[in-house]
Amino acid sequence: MKRIFLILLWAILLNQSALFGEDVAAPKPQKTDYVKVYYFHGDYRCSNCYKIEKYSKEAIDKYFAKELASGELEYKVINVDERGNEHFVVDYKLYTKSLVISKIKDGREVEYKNLEKVWNHLGNKRTFYNYVKEEIEIFLKDNK
């Protein structure tokens, strides 16, 4: 009986993917060519800052769900006032809350753009979405 139990336990451990619905033996390879979109903010945030973050996430989720799922596009929200994130202010020449698109080739950033016009489009969600969509599409197209 003990032997049967050990054999079953061994079989289960070898096939953890059946238990968890994922393949733990073969991790997904990390993409080296992709586009990363950052929303940078600080500790102090006004209602417009929250709106930029909200609209950005909504636009990205709406237009780029497939690219997010495949790893071709990443979206990150980063507080530059948190320890370890200060370098982003220098790296991207940030002076306010910002949405930045970064092109990664062979695992290294080769180009970026600060979408400064997000502030101009806050009054119209549709034009905000279109602006973000068009700029990300340019980076994705160039990255293929």
Side-chain angles (χ1 to χ4, degrees):
M1 182 72 166
K2 185 176 181 183
R3 185 176 187 168
I4 293 172
F5 175 76
L6 289 174
I7 291 171
L8 285 174
L9 180 62
W10 179 76
I12 290 170
L13 290 174
L14 283 178
N15 194 10
Q16 290 179 15
S17 62
L19 287 174
F20 301 109
E22 58 186 65
D23 190 355
V24 292
K28 248 170 106 173
Q30 189 73 14
K31 285 200 176 268
T32 58
D33 295 354
Y34 60 99
V35 173
K36 189 177 282 190
V37 179
Y38 296 102
Y39 172 64
F40 294 109
H41 66 84
D43 287 338
Y44 173 77
R45 299 172 75 185
C46 65
S47 61
N48 284 337
C49 300
Y50 284 108
K51 188 185 272 190
I52 291 172
E53 180 181 349
K54 180 179 187 279
Y55 284 4
S56 298
K57 173 123 176 64
E58 289 173 358
I60 291 167
D61 287 345
K62 178 177 181 173
Y63 296 112
F64 301 105
K66 184 180 92 175
E67 291 82 359
L68 286 168
S70 72
E72 188 179 349
L73 180 70
E74 289 184 16
Y75 175 67
K76 291 193 174 217
V77 177
I78 296 179
N79 181 342
V80 295
D81 289 333
E82 287 182 2
R83 187 180 186 144
N85 291 338
E86 307 89 355
H87 69 93
F88 289 111
V89 174
V90 175
D91 296 348
Y92 296 114
K93 301 170 186 71
L94 304 175
Y95 57 89
T96 188
K97 285 59 171 182
S98 301
L99 190 66
V100 173
I101 305 173
S102 171
K103 184 187 302 184
I104 311 297
K105 286 276 195 191
D106 297 321
R108 303 186 81 133
E109 183 177 71
V110 295
E111 180 183 357
Y112 74 90
K113 182 174 184 179
N114 186 339
L115 302 187
E116 295 174 352
K117 292 181 184 174
V118 292
W119 291 94
N120 301 347
H121 298 297
L122 275 176
N124 186 319
K125 190 185 234 185
R126 186 174 46 83
T127 60
F128 186 102
Y129 277 22
N130 286 336
Y131 172 60
V132 170
K133 177 181 178 266
E134 290 168 6
E135 294 292 341
I136 292 173
E137 284 175 340
I138 292 167
F139 271 66
L140 286 170
K141 181 182 175 192
D142 290 346
N143 217 29
K144 291 188 178 187

